[in-house]
Amino acid sequence: WTRQELRVNNLTLAEAAVLLGKQFNVKIEVSDSLIASRRFTATFPESETLDQALKIICEFNGASYRYNDDESVVIGNKPNKK
């Protein structure tokens, strides 16, 4: 986070998860190695909540996220819709 925003430039989703985890003091795990290795570039304002950032990252990378009972986050494949 610099100058009131987080810029990620060509980071993997796994690397971005580490940065977001540090910023929001939460453990974020990426459960799928293919998704973890996807690279992207984005800018997040400092005012962005964890949920907002996760929604953007997951939408961009074709993933989904969920909270565990211990409030950690797991990012993985989008569930198949029937």
Side-chain angles (χ1 to χ4, degrees):
W1 295 91
T2 60
R3 297 188 185 183
Q4 303 173 340
E5 61 186 24
L6 171 64
R7 292 182 187 184
V8 293
N9 185 17
N10 197 32
L11 289 184
T12 64
L13 198 145
E15 292 166 330
V18 170
L19 288 175
L20 287 172
K22 287 180 182 177
Q23 176 63 26
F24 290 99
N25 196 29
V26 64
K27 180 182 175 193
I28 302 175
E29 172 190 349
V30 184
S31 65
D32 181 277
S33 60
L34 181 62
I35 291 172
S37 66
R38 292 184 180 155
R39 294 188 169 276
F40 68 102
T41 298
T43 301
F44 302 98
E46 183 182 39
S47 62
E48 197 99 281
T49 66
L50 176 59
D51 277 326
Q52 290 169 325
L54 288 171
K55 284 177 186 175
I56 291 167
I57 288 170
C58 287
E59 183 66 28
F60 190 78
N61 288 287
S64 66
Y65 72 96
R66 65 178 167 79
Y67 285 92
N68 288 322
D69 291 338
D70 65 358
E71 297 186 15
S72 64
V73 177
V74 177
I75 298 173
N77 288 319
K78 276 189 175 180
N80 291 331
K81 294 183 179 180
K82 292 184 179 187

